[in-house]
């Protein structure tokens, strides 16, 4: 099945693209209502990056993302309503946070960005070998399955603490294990793998699939952090939309410690979380990888993570063939993947050590 078709059948698992609406226009004599900026409540000019906003807030959001600004605020509840008499402007952290919560999407920002790929999804589909396209389709279906399973999770508080983080990771790992072991794509890259049932209350890191599950978790967290403005807000956004703020005061709350508690003994945990935001998400956000490129990056990382005694004998052959094919049609995307993969492996290792000290 081709996941890059232009099918508009929403019941299909195929990837769909925006199409023009050619329905007849409906004209009304009623005067249009004045639009209000969803960020500062000033007069809006239309949609900017996915939200109704004024030109000033749109420009602020674009600069914040394209320049990879990082903001901070101790209050985090500042009033950002437009006030022409006020000098100095609004709190930039709270303004950017309102941009994101109002629907602005960092991945829509293109200014000052050098694309990691010279081709889009459809051109890659036309120029890569059929075997590569089929493999990318299988990985894409796997990612779609994971996203669909996350839709069934209970809504949890948006700000995580150590208790809710560990609880959410148990749920995530149970889902990942179930999807992986029932997925033909995953079976094709592993062999001699017999996984016993793991009780919910047992220690998470005793799972025989721990490394691959952690990789999938970290990979998605880095993508969500970039897509949800975590780089600018200095927060790690987790796959289920929980987030961990990395400022000292907020991290104390995450650790469920008193505000006077010295967090130096936990600094390595804070640094491990920060590494995912400040190194991996910082690399991924401006690159704006298309979905097929993300699939190739994930496949490379997964096949390198699976222990050699459990790795299918054709997994490395298929990976090398896929990367060679990508390098042939898009050398820029190939180099970006080669740069990102070691950072993801290193970040996963540090995150594993941090979680072991939290459990």
């Amino acid at each position: 099945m081709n996941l890059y078709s232009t099918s508009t059948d929403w019941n299909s698992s195929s990837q769909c693209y925006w199409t023009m609406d050619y329905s007849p226009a409906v004209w009304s004599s009623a005067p249009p209502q004045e639009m209000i900026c969803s960020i500062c409540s000033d007069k809006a000019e239309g949609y900017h990056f996915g939200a109704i906003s004024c030109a000033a807030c749109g420009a602020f959001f674009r600069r914040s993302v394209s320049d990879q600004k990082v903001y901070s605020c101790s209050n985090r509840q500042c009033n950002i309503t437009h006030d022409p008499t006020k000098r100095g402007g609004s709190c930039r952290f709270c303004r950017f946070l309102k941009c994101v919560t109002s629907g602005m999407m960092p991945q829509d920002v293109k200014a000052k960005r050098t694309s990691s790929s010279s081709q889009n999804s459809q051109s890659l589909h036309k120029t890569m070998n059929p075997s590569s396209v089929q493999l990318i389709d299988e990985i894409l279906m796997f990612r779609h399955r994971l996203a669909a399973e996350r839709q069934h999770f209970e809504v949890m508080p948006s700000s995580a603490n150590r208790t809710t983080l560990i609880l959410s990771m148990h749920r995530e790992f149970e889902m990942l294990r179930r999807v992986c072991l029932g997925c033909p794509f995953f079976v094709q890259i592993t062999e001699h793998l017999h996984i016993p049932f793991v009780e919910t209350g047992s220690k998470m890191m005793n799972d025989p699939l721990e490394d691959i599950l952690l990789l999938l978790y970290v990979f998605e967290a880095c993508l969500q952090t970039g897509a949800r403005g975590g780089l600018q807000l200095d927060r790690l956004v987790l796959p289920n939309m929980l987030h961990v703020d990395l400022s000292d005061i907020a991290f104390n709350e995450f650790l469920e410690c008193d505000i006077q508690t010295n967090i130096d003994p936990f600094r390595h945990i804070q640094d491990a979380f920060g590494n995912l935001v400040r190194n991996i998400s910082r690399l991924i956000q401006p690159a704006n990888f298309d979905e097929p490129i993300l699939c190739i990056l994930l496949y490379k990382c997964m096949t390198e993570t699976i222990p050699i005694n459990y790795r299918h004998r054709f997994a490395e052959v298929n990976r090398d063939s896929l990367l060679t094919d990508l390098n042939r049609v898009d050398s820029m995307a190939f180099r970006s993947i080669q740069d990102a993969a070691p950072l993801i492996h290193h970040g996963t290792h540090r995150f594993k050590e941090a979680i072991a000290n939290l459990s």
Side-chain angles (χ1 to χ4, degrees), residues 66-138:
S66 61
D67 294 346
Q68 295 193 317
K69 302 285 190 180
V70 180
Y71 302 129
S72 62
C73 174
S74 58
N75 182 22
R76 305 195 174 209
Q77 295 180 341
C78 299
N79 180 13
I80 56 172
T81 303
H82 174 69
D83 183 357
T85 65
K86 182 180 178 181
R87 291 190 174 184
S90 303
C91 168
R92 290 175 294 178
F93 178 95
C94 293
R95 189 181 187 186
F96 187 85
L97 179 60
K98 187 68 177 292
C99 288
V100 173
T101 55
S102 297
M104 287 191 176
M105 296 176 286
Q107 58 267 38
D108 286 351
V109 175
K110 303 183 185 304
K112 294 186 180 180
R113 184 181 65 206
T114 302
S115 174
S116 65
S117 175
S118 60
Q119 304 195 45
N120 59 30
S121 302
Q122 293 208 33
S123 62
L124 280 175
H125 171 257
K126 293 177 182 178
T127 54
M128 295 190 78
N129 294 327
S131 59
S132 298
V133 173
Q134 181 178 354
L135 181 54
I136 293 173
D137 283 353
E138 292 173 357

Side-chain angles (χ1 to χ4, degrees), residues 49 57-67 109-112:
F49 309 114
C57 287
F60 165 77
F61 184 78
R62 176 183 58 78
R63 290 193 305 270
S64 298
V65 175
S66 61
D67 294 346
V109 175
K110 303 183 185 304
K112 294 186 180 180

Side-chain angles (χ1 to χ4, degrees), residues 68 70 218 221-223 225-226 230-232 234-236 246 270-287 289 297 336 339-348 350:
Q68 295 193 317
V70 180
V218 166
C222 292
L223 295 184
T225 296
L231 178 59
Q232 285 71 29
D234 199 24
R235 62 172 48 162
L236 176 64
L246 299 175
Q270 186 183 25
D271 291 343
F273 287 13
N275 172 64
L276 302 184
V277 178
R278 296 158 192 157
N279 291 329
I280 303 176
S281 292
R282 180 173 290 276
L283 175 68
I284 291 176
Q285 187 189 64
F289 291 118
L297 174 59
S336 297
D339 291 340
L343 293 178
I344 293 173
H345 287 307
H346 178 66
T348 302
R350 291 185 63 182

